[in-house]
Amino acid sequence: MRILQKYFKLEALSIVALFALWEAASRIGIAPAYLFPPFTETLKSLVGLATTGQLGLHYSITLMRVLIGLGMGSSIGILLGLAIAYSELAYRALYPIVTLLYAVPAVAWIPLFIIWIGLNEALPIAVVFLCSFVPMVYTTLTGIRSLSPSIVRVAQTLGARGPAALFYILLPQALPSILAGLKVEAGMAWRTCFVVEMVAASSGLGLLAMTAQSTLRVDVILAIVLILALSNYAFQVMIERAEVRLLRKWGYVR
Amino acid sequence: MPSIKLVNVSNFILRKVSLDVLDGELIVVLGPSGAGKTTLLNVIAGLVNYEGSVLFDGEPVDDLKPCERGVGFVPQDLALFTHLNVEENIAFGLKMKGVKGDELRRRVREVMELLNIEHLAHRYPLTLSGGEQQRVAIARAVALRPKVLLMDEPFNNLDLSLRRRLRMELKALQKKLGLTTVFVTHDVIEAEELADRVAVLVKGELKCVGPFNCVFFENEDPVVKEVLGSPNILKCTGFKVVHEGLAEVECEGLKLLAPHDEGVVRKIAIPPERIILMNKPNPASKFNTLKGVIEEVLKEGSYYKIRVSIGNVSLLCIKPEDEYNPSLNVGNEVYVKIPIKHVRALCTP
């Protein structure tokens, strides 16, 4: 725990150092201020955006899209992963399709989805859904496959078959790997949502960044990127906390 | 508790295995790794496919699912449910069978008391010591009051003294509950201490079944002997008790000191890896030192197999590569020391 605290302090320190370097580089004038505004100016723009209410509005829209897309994508992904891990039939029928889908980056679906779904609220959610769904199927499947086969055997002799074995034993046993996967996919969801909003949405942080680009407001773009980065970071920390708490409770880590 | 009968059981590894386990008996299946020991347990539990028939108390159970057969299973890696605490691990099977409320609590408590793990009820498996985990795994297996207990080298990853203690505890528990038990191991000492009878399994074939001493001292099959550690077995003709627990025996012309319990020493067994080879005798410890000639030296993997002839007897000695002395050449004279404590004696009334 002490090492962990030290680690966090060091982490905070390195971030502060990055911002200081940014500030200094900008202040000594390596580029004109309108192209590379200092950190403090960026913060000011951020506060400005927030006071107009614009940031709050667009941020909550993006957050909602990420939460819905990630939530639905990962939960359905976990369920499908469980089914594929459990049933040989499901494995043979669905695994090739999942593998095919895995090769396609989620953003590659944007042009198609614009035609199929149209430019509406369902579009970014659909893309975020896909980008969480496919990898979570994989993560769940691998998590369960890496469990000792004797776990399943013992569960069988104790009378756990079918869904009972799946939900009471396999799912919780695979939970540590599922949470590790979810951490990665949460980051991916933020990035993907931002990209969709940049190219095909009438709201959200991505749109805000594109609008700022058209008016050459570098400070606003940087402020939005900062918000995106921090949001992602907050998600990671939250999932990691849950993960550590669970692993500590079960005795995987002390 | 029922008897178990296997009739001509075959599958991808087992070949026509037939075995009778008596009611309340603890049978140890001994065999090298890859012999099919785990598969044999899986067959009895109904966890793998097989041809042939398995009967509990004369009734075929081939069409029953694992949970309907009434077996308790302790696998090699224990497979404790790490997300459940000790109490929940033990209660799992009972809950699956629909046991609820007070009865569930009472039965879980009973089993925990039986294995002396009440104080661990709320701990999670990974926070327990190796020995505690073993007890939880056994508790979980017996909680459903199974007809048959199946154990797959459960004590493998523990230190020697703990293994010994757990073996004694298991034996006591097994007798107390009268559980018909099939225990799988590759450890000869474990077999000797636990078994009512031993069954030797090699490459999917059951080679022999019988009381430990019978299998250990009487079986001439080289394959079985290898599983038992290739002991040198000598027939004894003369015998005289020289001290309590110690006898002087004459075996095939050799005069040796051997441990002695009761009755007449019929045979002795000398484990080949315990024999000490010396260029000259150690004057400080002269007992059981014999002079012989090296007959044969064979290198097998990282071991040397050395045959020494002493009179009419040819003794097998096994030395690891790093203990091998280059002066041990064929035709050389050598002194053989047989430590008394490693000699095993077969006594009959």
Side-chain angles (χ1 to χ4, degrees):
Chain A
M1 196 59 212
R2 197 170 291 168
I3 292 172
L4 213 66
Q5 275 168 359
K6 251 186 191 167
Y7 174 64
F8 269 115
K9 270 181 204 159
L10 185 66
E11 263 184 348
L13 205 70
S14 74
I15 291 173
V16 171
L18 177 73
F19 290 152
L21 199 69
W22 169 2
E23 182 77 22
S26 174
R27 293 280 175 205
I28 59 172
I30 57 169
Y34 71 93
L35 285 182
F36 185 40
F39 175 59
T40 43
E41 289 304 316
T42 308
L43 275 187
K44 263 185 220 160
S45 313
L46 192 61
V47 173
L49 267 180
T51 45
T52 60
Q54 251 190 319
L55 183 67
L57 176 70
H58 290 282
Y59 183 78
S60 55
I61 289 170
T62 303
L63 178 67
M64 207 49 107
R65 288 169 179 160
V66 169
L67 283 176
I68 295 173
L70 177 68
M72 280 172 43
S74 50
S75 42
I76 296 177
I78 290 168
L79 286 178
L80 190 66
L82 283 172
I84 292 180
Y86 185 75
S87 140
E88 187 61 29
L89 188 72
Y91 179 80
R92 285 168 61 186
L94 300 175
Y95 189 71
I97 301 175
V98 175
T99 313
L100 278 177
L101 284 176
Y102 194 66
V104 184
V107 287
W109 296 105
I110 296 174
L112 187 68
F113 282 8
I114 290 177
I115 299 169
W116 281 356
I117 299 173
L119 290 169
N120 57 45
E121 203 43 48
L123 176 70
I125 291 175
V127 181
V128 174
F129 172 88
L130 254 190
C131 99
S132 330
F133 165 75
V134 181
M136 280 319 281
V137 175
Y138 254 80
T139 307
T140 310
L141 188 59
T142 347
I144 289 178
R145 294 228 151 181
S146 62
L147 297 176
S148 153
S150 51
I151 292 259
V152 183
R153 293 201 175 129
V154 170
Q156 270 178 291
T157 64
L158 292 174
R161 284 185 291 137
L166 213 53
F167 287 102
Y168 294 139
I169 302 295
L170 296 183
L171 178 61
Q173 286 284 303
L175 210 51
S177 14
I178 290 175
L179 280 177
L182 191 64
K183 210 161 55 179
V184 178
E185 295 321 319
M188 204 60 207
W190 276 101
R191 289 190 281 269
T192 305
C193 191
F194 193 79
V195 173
V196 182
E197 287 169 355
M198 276 165 57
V199 297
S202 54
S203 56
L205 288 180
L207 176 87
L208 216 54
M210 288 311 277
T211 320
Q213 181 257 336
S214 62
T215 54
L216 254 173
R217 288 290 302 275
V218 178
D219 54 336
V220 174
I221 297 175
L222 282 170
I224 290 165
V225 168
L226 202 61
I227 284 291
L228 181 70
L230 286 175
S231 306
N232 186 11
Y233 189 72
F235 265 54
Q236 305 283 319
V237 170
M238 277 191 292
I239 298 172
E240 198 165 280
R241 289 252 166 102
E243 194 185 0
V244 168
R245 217 166 132 175
L246 194 70
L247 294 184
R248 198 168 289 152
K249 182 182 168 201
W250 292 352
Y252 283 89
V253 292
R254 302 246 159 147
Chain B
M1 296 300 145
S3 60
I4 310 171
K5 193 180 176 75
L6 271 64
V7 184
N8 280 335
V9 167
S10 300
N11 64 4
F12 53 94
I13 176 143
L14 298 174
R15 279 183 242 160
K16 290 203 174 279
V17 172
S18 293
L19 175 67
D20 275 298
V21 188
L22 307 176
D23 183 353
E25 184 182 34
L26 194 163
I27 200 158
V28 172
V29 178
L30 195 62
S33 47
K37 302 188 295 291
T38 303
T39 309
L40 185 70
L41 293 186
N42 286 339
V43 164
I44 298 173
L47 293 163
V48 291
N49 292 330
Y50 58 89
E51 286 158 30
S53 192
V54 178
L55 302 97
F56 288 179
D57 256 352
E59 294 288 320
V61 292
D62 305 308
D63 296 329
L64 298 185
K65 300 201 168 68
C67 61
E68 296 162 343
R69 291 191 179 196
V71 296
F73 190 41
V74 182
Q76 196 168 359
D77 60 1
L78 304 181
L80 290 171
F81 305 138
T82 49
H83 64 287
L84 301 177
N85 67 24
V86 169
E87 204 170 26
E88 293 162 341
N89 262 280
I90 297 169
F92 185 80
L94 292 166
K95 279 186 190 159
M96 287 289 125
K97 283 261 171 356
V99 181
K100 280 185 215 128
D102 283 342
E103 201 199 340
L104 178 70
R105 271 191 292 279
R106 185 179 54 77
R107 286 183 64 176
V108 170
R109 194 131 297 273
E110 237 171 57
V111 178
M112 287 198 293
E113 277 165 19
L114 198 62
L115 281 130
N116 289 318
I117 49 173
E118 306 104 296
H119 59 293
L120 305 172
H122 301 294
R123 298 267 297 273
Y124 282 84
L126 289 180
T127 66
L128 304 177
S129 73
E132 290 167 342
Q133 291 186 2
Q134 302 286 339
R135 291 193 183 92
V136 176
I138 295 171
R140 184 181 60 179
V142 300
L144 275 175
R145 298 184 188 143
K147 296 175 184 160
V148 167
L149 182 61
L150 305 173
M151 304 187 81
D152 189 0
E153 312 202 32
F155 303 147
N156 252 8
N157 306 317
L158 304 171
D159 60 74
L160 284 176
S161 61
L162 185 59
R163 283 175 88 134
R164 202 186 183 98
R165 212 170 69 216
L166 281 168
R167 280 203 289 267
M168 293 191 317
E169 282 181 27
L170 171 67
K171 184 90 185 171
L173 180 77
Q174 185 258 338
K175 290 293 165 223
K176 187 172 168 188
L177 300 178
L179 272 173
T180 308
T181 303
V182 182
F183 187 105
V184 149
T185 184
H186 62 263
D187 184 341
V188 179
I189 296 172
E190 207 153 80
E192 184 184 14
E193 277 189 18
L194 277 175
D196 293 324
R197 284 190 305 152
V198 174
V200 178
L201 188 72
V202 182
K203 289 189 183 152
E205 272 179 78
L206 205 57
K207 292 292 183 184
C208 63
V209 186
F212 180 83
N213 274 343
C214 203
V215 170
F216 191 80
F217 284 99
E218 311 292 353
N219 201 295
E220 302 283 338
D221 184 344
V223 180
V224 173
K225 286 196 78 169
E226 200 173 325
V227 172
L228 297 167
S230 310
N232 296 289
I233 308 277
L234 303 178
K235 281 198 184 86
C236 304
T237 43
F239 132 90
K240 185 175 81 188
V241 177
V242 291
H243 194 274
E244 203 190 330
L246 192 68
E248 191 180 74
V249 291
E250 194 175 327
C251 303
E252 301 181 29
L254 309 183
K255 278 199 169 152
L256 293 167
L257 290 172
H260 172 251
D261 254 349
E262 262 176 8
V264 181
V265 179
R266 298 290 179 194
K267 284 184 178 181
I268 59 163
I270 307 164
E273 69 281 2
R274 298 294 187 182
I275 296 175
I276 299 164
L277 298 176
M278 304 171 289
N279 291 326
K280 53 176 188 264
N282 178 1
S285 146
K286 285 183 288 192
F287 295 118
N288 281 2
T289 305
L290 305 160
K291 192 165 143 187
V293 176
I294 296 182
E295 247 178 7
E296 187 185 41
V297 179
L298 267 178
K299 190 165 189 265
E300 246 178 50
S302 57
Y303 287 89
Y304 281 93
K305 282 190 167 176
I306 304 157
R307 282 211 163 269
V308 181
S309 73
I310 310 163
N312 296 325
V313 179
S314 166
L315 285 186
L316 173 70
C317 317
I318 297 178
K319 291 282 141 205
E321 208 166 17
D322 52 346
E323 274 180 41
Y324 176 73
N325 179 342
S327 72
L328 298 173
N329 287 324
V330 176
N332 283 9
E333 279 194 348
V334 70
Y335 287 88
V336 172
K337 164 123 183 129
I338 299 161
I340 298 169
K341 66 173 176 184
H342 294 306
V343 176
R344 222 187 272 256
L346 174 69
C347 304
T348 55

